[in-house]
Structure formats: structure tokens, C-alpha cells
Amino acid sequence: QQPVQSPQAVILREGEDAVINCSSSKALYSVHWYRQKHGEAPVFLMILLKGGEQKGHEKISASFNEKKQQSSLYLTASQLSYSGTYFCGTPGGSNYKLTFGKGTLLTVNP
Amino acid sequence: DAEITQSPRHKITETGRQVTLACHQTWNHNNMFWYRQDLGHGLRLIHYSYGVQDTNKGEVSDGYSVSRSNTEDLPLTLESAASSQTSVYFCASSRDRAGDIQYFGAGTRLSVL
């Protein structure tokens, strides 16, 4: 079942912060985050594992609450290079495939 | 460097024609995936394979087929192309660990006229 992302789109000015949420109706073992810049392939950002572990990438961090079946991506002091579409992906138990959300379009303006 | 390549990058075809999109990876990954990306739908899984001779249907598999004869390649075939299959197609691969990182190819933009 496809995870639900919110918001669908967000526009920021450089230096502002943003939060992107990902929620699932089924139990989660982990959550993956990918970023796709316009016209390019999705690129892996980070994996969040059970236990509420937080990961970081540049000034991007994320949290995972397996009880609430949701993850949040935090973009701090956004840069122009953060613009793109962010996808969360959830694996189905122990298998290898991911189900991706519909994505959140992030636009950072000067 | 290891990589995953897709060809062609752009393709225009006519309805009813058979089309094959190539995907080749040099990571020696057992897992390979095909997605289509359409506005408002995100990435949807078409087919996937966990090893040679293994293929599985994803959520939008109708009208598509794959075959896996070696570790490196997973070609995607549209048996009889339809306008609804106009999309951007991405291939990805990953190692044999549950929920492992997927590495994506650059994509193929397919237009069916």
C-alpha cells in the first residue's frame, strides 16, 4: 500500500526550514528517503530504521516513529540545491522491493 | 566505476508496436526493478526480479513483460504499446538485503503516438 506524503508541494526562500511527512497504514520496519532533481534519476538520501533512529545528510535529517507508522524529513536552512521532489519509500517486510509515495515537490527560491 | 545504464534515453513509437527498453547494471546486484513515473502518481513498480530466471509482477504490470537471463540485464518489453504507456521509465537495482538502497538509472522517456 502506497505511503502518503504531505505536503504535496512547498515553496521556500533560501535559509527557511521545511518538514515533509510520510505515513503508512501498515507496520513499518524502515523508511527510505530519495530526492529527484528535475530531469534526473532519484537519488538515495537516507534510511530510517526501527527504534526512532535519526539520520542526517548535510542539513537534512529525518525521524522515524514506527508506532505511529510515520517518518518526517527535516530540511534546515534550505539551499537552492535542495530543490527537487522528495519521495519516501517503504519496504514490505523482509522483501526487497519498495513502495514509494507520490512525492513532495520542494522549490527553494533565492 | 559500477553503474546502471538505460537505453535508449528517448523513444518515440506508434501504438501497437512492440518496444523493448534496456537496463544494464555492473554492480552484480541480484535485485532489479522497473518503475514508471507519471505526474501525480510518483514511482510505480512495474516488474521486479530477485535473480536470474526470477521475475515478479508489480502494481502496474499489465501490458509489460520482463525476462532475466543474466545478473546484469533486465529488459522491459511493451508487447503492444498503448498511448497510456507514455511515461518516464526508471530501472533500479539493489543488493540482497531487505530494504537495501536502490540505485536508479537515468531513465527512458517513452512517447507512444
Side-chain angles (χ1 to χ4, degrees), chain A residues 2 30 32 34 36 39-44 47 85 87 91 93-103, chain B residues 9 31 33 35 37 40-43 45 48 50 59 90 94-102 104-106:
Chain A
Q2 190 174 38
S30 65
H32 295 222
Y34 288 76
Q36 182 181 30
E40 298 181 7
V43 174
F44 170 78
I47 294 178
T85 301
F87 293 98
S94 60
N95 63 43
Y96 307 121
K97 65 187 177 77
L98 295 175
T99 302
F100 287 94
K102 292 184 179 181
Chain B
R9 294 294 316 278
N31 304 332
F33 310 87
Y35 298 90
Q37 185 173 34
H41 291 280
L43 293 159
L45 186 63
Y48 58 101
Y50 290 158
E59 60 180 304
F90 287 100
S94 72
R95 294 179 301 177
D96 282 345
R97 295 200 315 196
D100 202 7
I101 299 168
Q102 292 192 12
F104 285 81

Side-chain angles (χ1 to χ4, degrees), chain B residues 13-94:
Chain B
T13 191
E14 296 175 345
T15 55
R17 290 191 179 266
Q18 184 180 76
V19 177
T20 297
L21 309 182
C23 177
H24 178 81
Q25 53 97 3
T26 58
W27 278 299
N28 202 36
H29 286 166
N30 278 332
N31 304 332
M32 295 185 74
F33 310 87
W34 273 104
Y35 298 90
R36 61 176 290 174
Q37 185 173 34
D38 306 287
L39 198 62
H41 291 280
L43 293 159
R44 292 184 291 174
L45 186 63
I46 305 172
H47 281 286
Y48 58 101
S49 168
Y50 290 158
V52 176
Q53 302 301 329
D54 176 76
T55 61
N56 306 279
K57 293 182 179 181
E59 60 180 304
V60 290
S61 60
D62 287 350
Y64 303 95
S65 63
V66 293
S67 62
R68 188 89 179 270
S69 58
N70 58 52
T71 300
E72 295 79 19
D73 300 288
L74 186 70
L76 177 71
T77 298
L78 287 70
E79 303 294 345
S80 177
S83 58
S84 60
Q85 294 177 309
T86 292
S87 185
V88 179
Y89 292 85
F90 287 100
C91 177
S93 70
S94 72

